[in-house]
Amino acid sequence: MGENINILLNKNLRKLVLLGIDIILVQMAAYMSLQICFDFTRNTQYFMYKVIYQENIIPYVFIMILTFYAFGLYKSLWRYASINELISVTMASFWSNAAIFASFLMMKVVFPKNFYIINIFVIATLIGGFRFSYRA
């Protein structure tokens, strides 16, 4: 009985750590996507959009994590990485950006359109890369 509790606590702790890392990675992805949008030049527009992102960071992260949860990224802890998990990460990345686009549109938050497309690839690379790396 005690062993089952330890396994459950260990599993929940791993999910919590994974959630924390995902929160950090989606924020990194947003900053990286903004920099790519502006060709790594820190001009007035870049700083304007950076401030807009910082003002909306909570809904951005919340929507991302909620979408990841909906796609089951926290259900399986991927003992072995596979193509199905990579597809799940890619689909979650796509749909989370679609949800953020729609939400920001409703909130009248203006962002460059190419940000969302770039962000899909950056998030899929960071989240998928991290998950594959710790299972390799």
Side-chain angles (χ1 to χ4, degrees):
M1 185 75 168
E3 186 177 314
N4 290 340
I5 292 173
N6 285 338
I7 291 170
L8 183 62
L9 287 174
N10 189 24
K11 191 174 184 180
N12 287 335
L13 180 63
R14 289 192 327 197
K15 285 182 182 182
L16 192 59
V17 168
L18 189 59
L19 176 69
I21 290 170
D22 282 354
I23 289 170
I24 292 168
L25 290 177
V26 297
Q27 291 178 55
M28 284 176 52
Y31 285 112
M32 291 170 69
S33 297
L34 271 178
Q35 289 189 359
I36 293 169
C37 283
F38 294 102
D39 297 325
F40 298 97
T41 57
R42 293 178 178 221
N43 56 22
T44 311
Q45 273 190 313
Y46 167 78
F47 286 110
M48 180 186 74
Y49 286 119
K50 183 178 173 186
V51 168
I52 291 170
Y53 167 71
Q54 290 170 341
E55 291 171 349
N56 294 285
I57 195 167
I58 292 173
Y60 172 85
V61 171
F62 180 75
I63 291 168
M64 282 287 180
I65 299 303
L66 190 65
T67 308
F68 288 176
Y69 183 79
F71 274 85
L73 298 187
Y74 303 112
K75 208 178 286 180
S76 84
L77 292 177
W78 298 3
R79 193 127 304 169
Y80 302 100
S82 72
I83 296 300
N84 289 338
E85 281 79 27
L86 182 60
I87 291 170
S88 292
V89 167
T90 305
M91 294 301 292
S93 175
F94 174 81
W95 287 109
S96 62
N97 275 283
I100 287 169
F101 176 76
S103 298
F104 280 7
L105 200 60
M106 287 187 288
M107 294 168 30
K108 298 188 185 331
V109 175
V110 179
F111 244 71
K113 302 292 184 267
N114 61 346
F115 167 83
Y116 301 102
I117 295 167
I118 293 168
N119 203 34
I120 291 169
F121 294 105
V122 174
I123 286 176
T125 301
L126 290 178
I127 300 290
F130 173 76
R131 288 172 187 229
F132 271 76
S133 72
Y134 83 79
R135 289 180 178 94

